[in-house]
Amino acid sequence: MRGVGAILRPAARGARVSTPARWFPRTPARSVVALKTPIKVELVAGKTYRWCVCGRSKKQPFCDGSHFFQRTGLSPLKFKAQETRMVALCTCKATQRPPYCDGTHRSERVQKAEVGSPL
Ligand code: FES
């Protein structure tokens, strides 16, 4: 008769063990182009937002948790609005001043890229 330890240690029986490295790869995935134009949103002063970095969110330009469920190794950019105002948030994920659009989406590199693929 086996002890409780054999049940709690599946590796001891030759079972494949899931390691954190398999769930959270060390090399993060690349961001993908979500859209090729920015989205204008009104940010409210004092409110915290999570801008999608991976480009896989269905709630662009904000995070919906896709980076986690698709195991990208990426994290959203959390920021707090300093004032209430309309802003253009990047959706091509190539901006040099995230989360705001800086016009990079007009470049040939972004315009030739497929939506849903990395740059
Ligand atoms: S949408 Fe990304 S730079 Fe404008």
Side-chain angles (χ1 to χ4, degrees):
M1 182 177 198
R2 286 187 231 158
V4 174
I7 295 169
L8 297 176
R9 284 182 278 124
R13 299 189 318 250
R16 192 170 176 189
V17 177
S18 182
T19 62
R22 288 185 61 215
W23 282 84
F24 303 101
R26 287 185 186 196
T27 308
R30 291 169 60 196
S31 297
V32 298
V33 176
L35 294 169
K36 296 182 184 179
T37 54
I39 293 179
K40 287 186 178 174
V41 294
E42 184 178 51
L43 301 180
V44 177
K47 189 173 175 186
T48 301
Y49 298 89
R50 295 177 353 134
W51 178 71
C52 170
V53 167
C54 71
R56 291 159 175 86
S57 171
K58 300 290 182 233
K59 293 183 180 174
Q60 291 296 328
F62 301 112
C63 174
D64 70 353
S66 294
H67 68 277
F68 178 78
F69 296 111
Q70 295 184 33
R71 299 180 193 171
T72 62
L74 298 169
S75 300
L77 175 71
K78 206 169 156 185
F79 68 100
K80 193 172 190 174
Q82 300 302 312
E83 57 184 310
T84 299
R85 65 180 176 128
M86 287 294 288
V87 295
L89 296 182
C90 173
T91 60
C92 74
K93 313 304 174 189
T95 181
Q96 294 301 304
R97 53 181 201 103
Y100 306 103
C101 171
D102 68 353
T104 305
H105 65 273
R106 290 188 215 109
S107 70
E108 194 176 313
R109 183 173 69 111
V110 173
Q111 289 302 315
K112 281 189 174 179
E114 297 241 347
V115 169
S117 64
L119 287 175

